Amino acid sequence: MFESMSVLDFTTLYNEDELNVIDIRETDAFLQKHLAHSISLPATVLPNMLDQLDKDKTYHIISNGGRRSETIAAFMTAKGYHAVHVIGGMDSLSL
């Protein structure tokens, strides 16, 4: 089972520590607004790029509203990665 984290908890952790954030939105949305140090890896591309990610790291997965990030976090967890779904996504962040 994958982990989920509220946007409030994510914001607190993000402000205190450097996280591995994967933004799974399409490139144009990422270019318009994104978190500093986040990686743009659209959901349509991510499954083919998993082998480039480190299974020893924790990845916080973010999308627009949180639905796609939930699916991707579950997929990554099933493949042996530690993925945390950020509930509410970019739409809920006020960073």
Side-chain angles (χ1 to χ4, degrees):
M1 184 65 165
F2 66 94
E3 289 181 54
S4 292
M5 176 179 282
S6 73
V7 97
L8 180 59
D9 289 342
F10 172 78
T11 301
T12 300
L13 191 59
Y14 179 82
N15 287 329
E16 293 175 356
D17 198 6
E18 190 169 321
L19 304 177
N20 297 303
V21 179
I22 298 178
D23 189 323
I24 63 164
R25 300 172 301 145
E26 293 302 317
T27 304
D28 58 336
F30 178 83
L31 292 174
Q32 288 178 6
K33 177 184 174 184
H34 62 272
L35 297 170
H37 311 291
S38 61
I39 301 166
S40 176
L41 203 51
T44 54
V45 174
L46 185 136
N48 298 321
M49 305 291 286
L50 276 181
D51 61 342
Q52 295 181 24
L53 299 175
D54 185 345
K55 285 189 175 183
D56 293 327
K57 292 184 178 180
T58 298
Y59 295 98
H60 290 77
I61 313 301
I62 196 156
S63 60
N64 277 326
R67 286 191 178 264
R68 285 182 299 151
S69 59
E70 182 176 17
T71 301
I72 291 295
F75 170 76
M76 288 179 66
T77 299
K79 297 291 185 182
Y81 294 86
H82 185 206
V84 179
H85 160 238
V86 180
I87 301 168
M90 290 295 290
D91 292 345
S92 299
L93 284 176
S94 59
L95 293 172

